Amino acid sequence: CNGVDDDCNQIIDDGFLCARGATVDCASIGQPDGTATCLSDCSAWDTSGCTGTFDPSGTYVATPVPAYTCAFGLVNYNLGTFVFTDSGAVLVVSGPPCPMTGPSAVNGTINVSCTLFGSCDEIYALTGTFTGPDTWTGTFTATFVGSCINCVNQSTPVTGQR
């Protein structure tokens, strides 16, 4: 993360969320108006240059649909939609077997999770970023800990469209 194409592949700071010092139109990362700048560690966009308030709340259709069944059907999910409810402080995402919670996504970043405790703990998480005012891309993961009959950890790249 140094603002340079170190490996001569025509991509500056590849492997990071954004290129150091790069700027984008706020609408391209799900913000209302203005210009966002990549942080110096290339981990996120500084949205302080964005005006207005972005509200990620809404129902998003997932592509591809994360789906999995194990433990003779006791563990089962089929997530065609994710419902985001953002208070400005906390994001709650419904759809998975338990409501996932995390920090607000008004800055364009999604990082929510939940755990169903039992003899087989089921841990669900969604991480990602908004790529536009009505779209996001990320990864849905399901991790199984304990006596989880025939359950294998899952990781699904997914996009959402409002």
Side-chain angles (χ1 to χ4, degrees):
C1 175
N2 58 6
V4 176
D5 177 11
D6 295 309
D7 57 4
C8 300
N9 68 352
Q10 309 302 313
I11 301 171
I12 296 171
D13 293 333
D14 50 329
F16 293 94
L17 175 73
C18 53
R20 185 179 196 167
T23 60
V24 295
D25 183 282
C26 291
S28 71
I29 58 169
Q31 300 294 316
D33 295 306
T35 302
T37 305
C38 185
L39 294 177
S40 62
D41 66 358
C42 302
S43 66
W45 293 102
D46 175 1
T47 58
S48 62
C50 300
T51 59
T53 302
F54 170 63
D55 185 359
S57 298
T59 300
Y60 296 85
V61 175
T63 308
V65 174
Y68 186 67
T69 301
C70 63
F72 305 109
L74 295 174
V75 174
N76 183 17
Y77 61 83
N78 187 342
L79 305 172
T81 59
F82 289 87
V83 178
F84 285 32
T85 306
D86 199 310
S87 69
V90 174
L91 172 64
V92 178
V93 178
S94 304
C98 54
M100 299 183 296
T101 60
S104 171
V106 297
N107 68 351
T109 302
I110 304 163
N111 187 6
V112 293
S113 63
C114 66
T115 302
L116 288 175
F117 294 100
S119 59
C120 172
D121 291 345
E122 302 168 44
I123 304 163
Y124 298 99
L126 178 65
T127 58
T129 57
F130 277 86
T131 56
D134 295 314
T135 57
W136 52 265
T137 185
T139 303
F140 177 77
T141 58
T143 306
F144 307 102
V145 179
S147 300
C148 308
I149 303 167
N150 297 322
C151 294
V152 177
N153 293 344
Q154 301 292 302
S155 180
T156 307
V158 64
T159 59
Q161 175 74 43
R162 182 165 25 188

